Amino acid sequence: MTAEIEALTSGADGPYFEGLKAGEIRVQKCAGCSEIHWPAVFRCPDCGSWEHVWQTVSPEGRIFSWTRTWHAFGGPAAHKPPFVSVVVSLLDADHVRLIGTLDRPDAAVAIGARVRADITEVDFLDRKIPTLIWSLV
Ligand SMILES: [Zn+2]
């Protein structure tokens, strides 16, 4: 495991980042009450269980929110403006919303549009950061 991914996997959401490295989106499901939590938690706020399982879900969702950025502000070099940032509700767990960018900065974006994620990495501050690049479907 690289130092970069090791730093990302030290919190409650560590298995999420391990999933991205394996090419999967994984969400945290409580072993006690089966509630899906996002952001991930150490202890279930619904039933109090400390036990969780990580379920692989489809990399598909609907755009919940979006914005088009026209000016650079110091993010990853791969995100040259203009680019579109999106918040996506997953089809398999619609209260789980993940952030990423659209593959096409000129896309006709709409709330509710179906998208599919490509899991990749971007370089940022000498680190490889797992990221989701969404495409309209
Ligand atoms: Zn629970």
Side-chain angles (χ1 to χ4, degrees), residues 29-35 37 43-52:
K29 186 174 186 178
C30 176
C33 68
S34 297
E35 188 65 32
H37 295 290
R43 185 175 185 207
C44 177
D46 297 311
C47 75
S49 174
W50 293 87
E51 302 299 320
H52 309 283

Side-chain angles (χ1 to χ4, degrees), residues 16 25 27 38 58-66 84-102 109-117 132-136:
Y16 168 77
I25 296 176
V27 295
W38 191 258
S58 167
E60 296 177 312
R62 293 189 183 280
I63 294 176
F64 177 81
S65 183
W66 66 278
V84 175
S85 299
V86 290
V87 178
V88 174
S89 295
L90 296 178
L91 292 186
D92 288 347
D94 67 355
H95 67 286
V96 175
R97 297 181 184 137
L98 301 177
I99 296 172
T101 55
L102 270 187
V109 190
I111 301 297
R114 287 275 307 265
V115 287
R116 181 176 179 81
L132 300 173
I133 306 295
W134 298 90
S135 302
L136 294 170

